Amino acid sequence: MRRLHALLCGLLFVVQAHAVTFVYVSNAEDGNIGVYQLEGDGTLKPGERFDAGGKPVMPMSVSPDKKHLHAALRSKPFTVVTYAVDAKTGKLKEIGRGALAESFPYILVDKSGRWLLGASYGANLVSVNPIGKDGKVGDPQQVIPTARNAHAIITDQTNRWVFVPHLGTDQVFQFSFDAKSGRLAANTPPTVQIKQGAGPRHIIISRDNKFAYLLNELTAVVTTLSLDAKSGLLTQVSEASALPAGSTLKPGAPRPSPGRDVSGDVWASDLHLTPDGKFLYAAERTSSTINGFSVDGASGKLTLLGATPTEKQPRGFRIDPAGKYMVVTGELSPTISVYAIGGDGALKLLSQVPTGKGSNWVEIVSFD
């Protein structure tokens, strides 16, 4: 048994040693996507940049099988560009373009890989586009008017429920989702009301599917909501501020120009959980900080750990699948940062590498 255990551990080590990880960063103002290789020691090696054929290029989403990366262009004609991902080199090859219903600040490939979901901030709607077996995106098959400023769209871990934060009405819309037909339908009740003036922006689901964490852009408050996996309904549980200790920032207001510098107002942007669910991080643009929390897995309660200075006006970041490193972009910064995530949740800056103009969205893909 000991020999068998040693053999299995050796095989696991070989697999891990040969895993390769790529980072993709969309550069809004340059209209391209930068590719980087993330080494085992956290070193980030810049590679090629791939033109998206328009700008600004912003939200991206990777297919569940990791074969394709989709990037949305937020200028007319509103388009999603599909790239094939080379698992050995990380290089991108454009294979198709599809029409989007509107300008989307957030897109997501569902867990079946058959549908592209989108939320439109300016047009106040959500939509569904079909994705073929070849990865190409078809025309919108469903467009649903919702409320002011739909800012993100995600599924739960079962792919049965969809949630859409709306900054303008301080609501999270709740949908049921049929992955066979790709149809969204309003749940009952159709919305969860958040505190007035909070500005719901991005939302993520815990791996165990018990909780949703909602980042409110205008207050930098992270709201914990419990998720009933049977009904697909959310219930508010608790909240925690993601502002640095001693912050003098005041609740903000929606901004039509996300690439400009600001001062004085709260302007939260993105949040992510570590794969083990122990830590949650939220970015705040005005203070240019990443703020970490420890997570109580039983209650979903967050406890603020502290703030880490980062790239100027951080718009997006991502944690690698192993939970060891974080990559952060800044809309007003010429570099992106790589941090090591400590066992206590603390972030340690490892390196900074050049990036394009208006860097915002980050995707990380690992291959064995």
Side-chain angles (χ1 to χ4, degrees):
M1 289 295 294
R2 290 183 178 177
R3 288 185 177 180
L4 178 59
H5 177 73
L7 178 61
L8 291 175
C9 288
L11 289 174
L12 179 60
F13 174 79
V14 170
V15 171
Q16 290 177 334
H18 286 84
V20 59
T21 300
F22 300 107
V23 177
Y24 300 93
V25 176
S26 59
N27 301 308
E29 295 180 36
D30 289 337
N32 61 36
I33 299 169
V35 180
Y36 305 79
Q37 184 164 333
L38 181 63
E39 302 292 351
D41 62 356
T43 302
L44 200 61
K45 293 184 177 180
E48 296 182 50
R49 294 182 187 177
F50 294 85
D51 185 44
K55 55 185 178 181
V57 55
M58 293 187 72
M60 301 186 292
S61 185
V62 177
S63 61
D65 61 10
K66 308 176 189 177
K67 292 182 178 180
H68 301 104
L69 180 143
H70 305 274
L73 300 178
R74 298 193 65 186
S75 57
K76 293 183 178 181
F78 304 119
T79 303
V80 58
V81 186
T82 298
Y83 300 90
V85 177
D86 188 310
K88 293 183 179 180
T89 66
K91 290 184 177 182
L92 301 177
K93 180 181 179 181
E94 183 179 328
I95 62 170
R97 290 175 176 255
L100 294 177
E102 259 293 342
S103 170
F104 290 140
Y106 205 108
I107 59 172
L108 178 80
V109 180
D110 85 305
K111 295 185 185 304
S112 75
R114 298 178 55 200
W115 311 102
L116 183 74
L117 311 179
S120 177
Y121 184 94
N124 314 316
L125 58 81
V126 296
S127 75
V128 183
N129 289 55
I131 301 176
K133 292 182 179 179
D134 58 2
K136 297 178 181 180
V137 178
D139 291 338
Q141 72 162 24
Q142 186 181 26
V143 178
I144 303 174
T146 52
R148 284 192 293 120
N149 311 138
H151 218 316
I153 186 165
I154 63 163
T155 71
D156 79 322
Q157 303 296 353
T158 70
N159 211 40
R160 294 176 57 203
W161 313 110
V162 167
F163 304 102
V164 184
H166 283 67
L167 185 147
T169 56
D170 300 308
Q171 295 172 314
V172 178
F173 275 58
Q174 306 178 120
F175 295 93
S176 62
F177 180 60
D178 184 343
K180 292 184 179 179
S181 65
R183 305 292 292 183
L184 291 168
N187 208 338
T188 305
T191 63
V192 176
Q193 190 67 45
I194 307 300
K195 287 183 179 180
Q196 183 176 359
R201 177 183 172 90
H202 282 185
I203 187 170
I204 54 177
I205 304 291
S206 62
R207 182 167 287 188
D208 62 12
N209 216 39
K210 292 182 179 179
F211 298 101
Y213 296 96
L214 171 69
L215 179 63
N216 295 288
E217 177 176 324
L218 307 183
T219 59
V221 167
V222 180
T223 304
T224 299
L225 305 104
S226 63
L227 169 59
D228 185 325
K230 292 184 179 180
S231 66
L233 299 179
L234 299 174
T235 302
Q236 294 184 59
V237 174
S238 59
E239 57 183 28
S241 175
L243 288 178
S247 173
T248 58
L249 298 180
K250 60 182 183 296
R255 293 176 172 83
S257 302
R260 68 182 178 87
D261 198 2
V262 297
S263 59
D265 290 349
V266 175
W267 200 15
S269 58
D270 200 9
L271 82 168
H272 292 286
L273 281 162
T274 53
D276 60 13
K278 292 182 178 180
F279 303 106
L280 180 146
Y281 301 90
E284 201 287 314
R285 283 175 282 191
T286 304
S287 60
S288 294
T289 55
I290 297 290
N291 302 275
F293 299 87
S294 61
V295 181
D296 184 310
S299 67
K301 183 179 179 180
L302 303 176
T303 301
L304 186 65
L305 298 175
T308 301
T310 191
E311 300 290 350
K312 190 172 184 180
Q313 204 165 296
R315 165 59 178 79
F317 69 96
R318 192 74 65 164
I319 297 167
D320 83 296
K324 295 175 63 178
Y325 304 112
M326 177 190 294
V327 179
V328 184
T329 67
E331 290 175 303
L332 299 180
S333 176
T335 59
I336 56 177
S337 291
V338 183
Y339 298 87
I341 302 174
D344 58 356
L347 301 179
K348 178 183 178 182
L349 180 63
L350 296 180
S351 64
Q352 291 178 300
V353 295
T355 188
K357 293 182 179 179
S359 295
N360 57 89
W361 204 273
V362 182
E363 293 287 344
I364 302 180
V365 184
S366 289
F367 297 96
D368 293 332

